[in-house]
Amino acid sequence: MGVFKIEGGHTLKGEITPQGAKNEALQVLCAVLLTDQKVTIHNIPDILDVNKLISLLENLGVKIQKLGKGSYSFQADEINLNYLKSEAFYHEGQALRGSILIVGPLLTRFGVGYMPKPGGDKIGRRRLDTHFDGFIKLGAHFEYDESNFTYSVVAERLKGTYMLLEEASVTGTSNVIMAAVLAEGKTTIYNAACEPYVQQLCRMLNAMGADIQGIGSNLITINGVTQLEGCSHTILPDMIEIGSWIGLAAMTRSEITIKNVGWEHLGIIPTIFRKLGISFEKVNDDIHIPAHTNGYEIQNYIDGSILTVADAPWPGFTPDLLSIILVVATQARGQVLIHQKMFESRLFFIDKLIDMGAKIILCDPHRATVIGNDFRSPLRATLMTSPDIRAGIALLIAALSAKGTSTIYNIEQIDRGYENIDERLRALGANIVRVN
């Protein structure tokens, strides 16, 4: 198990470039299964979850060639469906929640999809009903083996239909879209997720020859085609990492420039950070954050009531950044209510922040009130364990701002979502060491 030793309290300075978007990568990598032609993908992040999926695809029979840093070609012309029933796949699929995204492409192209119950972050219930309800509506037969915790779907040929999704699940929407592109006839998906990850997947599929309309809206129309071709696709910068670096700059009162952020894809993220009192400017396609030597002040609502930051489906605020917002608020002037609506276990890391001296009241599993210290009472270094990717990066930012040396265990959780994070932080002047 890896450990980070962090000596906090240092001011950072410099430039950092965000990695490719993890959540987009998991989707577009699975889309290579929809064609026997070569697909080239650029800006793939070198992180544990993505590397596990690439390994799974290779074991499934996809021919993979690394072309350069972050660039790979994939060709799924000799898929070994027997691998789906192997012990190796059972363990690989369980270890990665994103592996559920291979089911839609395999089902529509080969007539069968099989999946052990996937793992992932322990942040609360993350049901898969949206995925399989969509497959069933397209004509698939679904079975769940309770003894082995495995799901299977089979269909001779999927047929387009109208469906109203019960929830605007990002991965559920993407999985159903991938299944529908080769289905017979027209599929209409209402209440579809419309995050940039889904938009990017749709653009990639259209470049492969799919007919998808309504991209960027919650009403997607797909006219099925008989086959898809190869294409070249570039993954967007990771907006979660961009938000993490904004939070890092504010908490350490550092001057940092985030390069090539893809401003047009950030949605409401800049607005929410500005409501916390964090100032920054757009310089071409970069974000420049000045050193907040005088701190930052949370804005109240017009009537003077306390600010609430809550997650919501796109274009609302992404739940993946609420952990960052919470930790940044601990040193602000003012108070904020954090409302995590989607996952009931995602706020359970705040006891570590309280141990560090943060003033936080956990109201219930979904809500926490943060009373900012305004840097008058710096956070204290401590010993902690990373419970999931986003809580892990929040704790790391807290440690970098704290006085003294902190130790973070279970850093594999952070490595799942952040590429070479210790090296990149040291380039900004952080005192962080990885110990195995």
Side-chain angles (χ1 to χ4, degrees):
M1 178 181 291
V3 175
F4 279 147
K5 297 280 189 180
I6 303 118
E7 183 183 289
H10 298 290
T11 300
L12 312 180
K13 187 177 180 65
E15 298 179 347
I16 192 165
T17 301
Q19 67 189 30
K22 167 185 179 279
N23 292 338
E24 179 187 340
L26 295 176
Q27 297 179 35
V28 299
L29 285 172
C30 293
V32 307
L33 294 168
L34 288 164
T35 178
D36 62 359
Q37 302 299 305
K38 186 175 290 187
V39 176
T40 302
I41 303 178
H42 304 288
N43 203 28
I44 297 174
D46 183 11
I47 55 178
L48 281 180
D49 276 10
V50 169
N51 292 337
K52 283 181 180 180
L53 181 57
I54 291 174
S55 175
L56 187 154
L57 291 172
E58 190 169 35
N59 291 335
L60 191 55
V62 179
K63 298 169 184 171
I64 302 174
Q65 182 180 2
K66 186 170 184 178
L67 307 175
K69 178 176 169 52
S71 296
Y72 291 79
S73 68
F74 304 85
Q75 189 160 8
D77 56 348
E78 294 182 0
I79 295 300
N80 176 19
L81 294 176
N82 292 327
Y83 175 69
L84 297 175
K85 294 298 181 74
S86 69
E87 189 73 15
F89 175 71
Y90 184 84
H91 292 294
E92 275 193 295
Q94 276 191 322
L96 176 66
R97 184 170 184 83
S99 58
I100 184 65
L101 288 160
I102 71 172
V103 176
L106 290 176
L107 174 64
T108 195
R109 185 175 166 205
F110 300 103
V112 59
Y114 182 80
M115 195 67 232
K117 186 176 181 179
D121 287 331
K122 306 304 179 186
I123 56 177
R125 292 173 295 171
R126 305 176 73 184
R127 56 197 180 92
L128 299 173
D129 299 54
T130 302
H131 300 252
F132 292 107
D133 285 347
F135 299 150
I136 292 168
K137 287 183 173 68
L138 290 170
H141 174 71
F142 168 74
E143 287 187 1
Y144 174 56
D145 185 342
E146 293 186 12
S147 59
N148 294 316
F149 299 105
T150 56
Y151 309 90
S152 63
V153 280
V154 295
E156 288 187 13
R157 178 76 192 275
L158 298 179
K159 295 186 182 297
T161 187
Y162 169 86
M163 63 182 79
L164 172 61
L165 300 187
E166 183 182 350
E167 63 172 349
S169 162
V170 173
T171 54
T173 298
S174 296
N175 225 348
V176 174
I177 287 173
M178 287 190 284
V181 291
L182 294 178
E184 181 182 335
K186 183 170 78 171
T187 300
T188 303
I189 307 173
Y190 194 29
N191 195 31
C194 50
E195 272 76 354
Y197 318 126
V198 181
Q199 297 177 37
Q200 282 288 97
L201 173 67
C202 290
R203 293 187 185 102
M204 173 178 166
L205 293 173
N206 278 351
M208 295 168 69
D211 183 357
I212 304 173
Q213 301 169 23
I215 298 173
S217 75
N218 67 349
L219 181 63
I220 298 290
T221 301
I222 305 155
N223 294 303
V225 297
T226 56
Q227 66 179 23
L228 296 179
E229 309 295 334
C231 76
S232 180
H233 178 80
T234 300
I235 293 172
L236 289 176
D238 195 315
M239 64 181 178
I240 311 304
E241 211 188 60
I242 292 164
S244 301
W245 304 145
I246 295 173
L248 170 69
M251 279 288 283
T252 59
R253 293 193 274 190
S254 302
E255 181 182 358
I256 293 176
T257 298
I258 310 171
K259 303 292 290 181
N260 304 321
V261 300
W263 267 90
E264 67 272 25
H265 303 289
L266 294 180
I268 202 172
I269 291 172
T271 300
I272 298 299
F273 278 103
R274 285 188 171 117
K275 286 186 176 182
L276 290 186
I278 300 170
S279 60
F280 47 85
E281 61 177 332
K282 180 179 185 294
V283 181
N284 298 319
D285 198 33
D286 304 339
I287 294 176
H288 177 257
I289 306 122
H292 287 67
T293 53
N294 296 319
Y296 43 94
E297 185 171 359
I298 298 171
Q299 300 176 13
N300 289 331
Y301 289 117
I302 293 173
D303 63 359
S305 57
I306 185 172
L307 176 70
T308 297
V309 179
D311 56 337
W314 191 270
F317 192 65
T318 172
D320 284 344
L321 278 176
L322 277 184
S323 300
I324 304 297
I325 293 295
L326 190 148
V327 76
V328 169
T330 64
Q331 289 299 342
R333 286 190 297 276
Q335 303 83 38
V336 63
L337 175 65
I338 304 296
H339 191 173
Q340 167 59 264
K341 298 177 182 177
M342 295 187 185
F343 304 111
E344 65 271 11
S345 302
R346 205 163 207 172
L347 296 180
F348 286 172
F349 75 100
I350 67 171
D351 60 323
K352 318 291 193 308
L353 297 175
I354 293 171
D355 289 344
M356 297 177 80
K359 297 180 177 68
I360 307 173
I361 302 168
L362 184 61
C363 309
D364 55 46
H366 292 276
R367 296 178 300 162
T369 301
V370 185
I371 300 101
N373 285 334
D374 190 19
F375 293 102
R376 289 173 298 186
S377 175
L379 297 181
R380 301 184 295 268
T382 189
L383 182 82
M384 43 195 161
T385 300
S386 172
D388 63 73
I389 300 174
R390 308 310 175 187
I393 191 66
L395 293 174
L396 178 54
I397 290 172
L400 287 165
S401 74
K403 295 295 185 182
T405 300
S406 296
T407 302
I408 304 179
Y409 289 93
N410 197 27
I411 61 172
E412 288 80 8
Q413 289 286 355
I414 302 174
D415 289 335
R416 288 177 49 215
Y418 292 83
E419 179 178 325
N420 300 323
I421 189 166
D422 49 330
E423 295 177 17
R424 296 161 75 201
L425 289 174
R426 279 195 295 270
L428 294 174
N431 192 332
I432 176 172
V433 177
R434 180 186 296 263
V435 181
N436 291 320

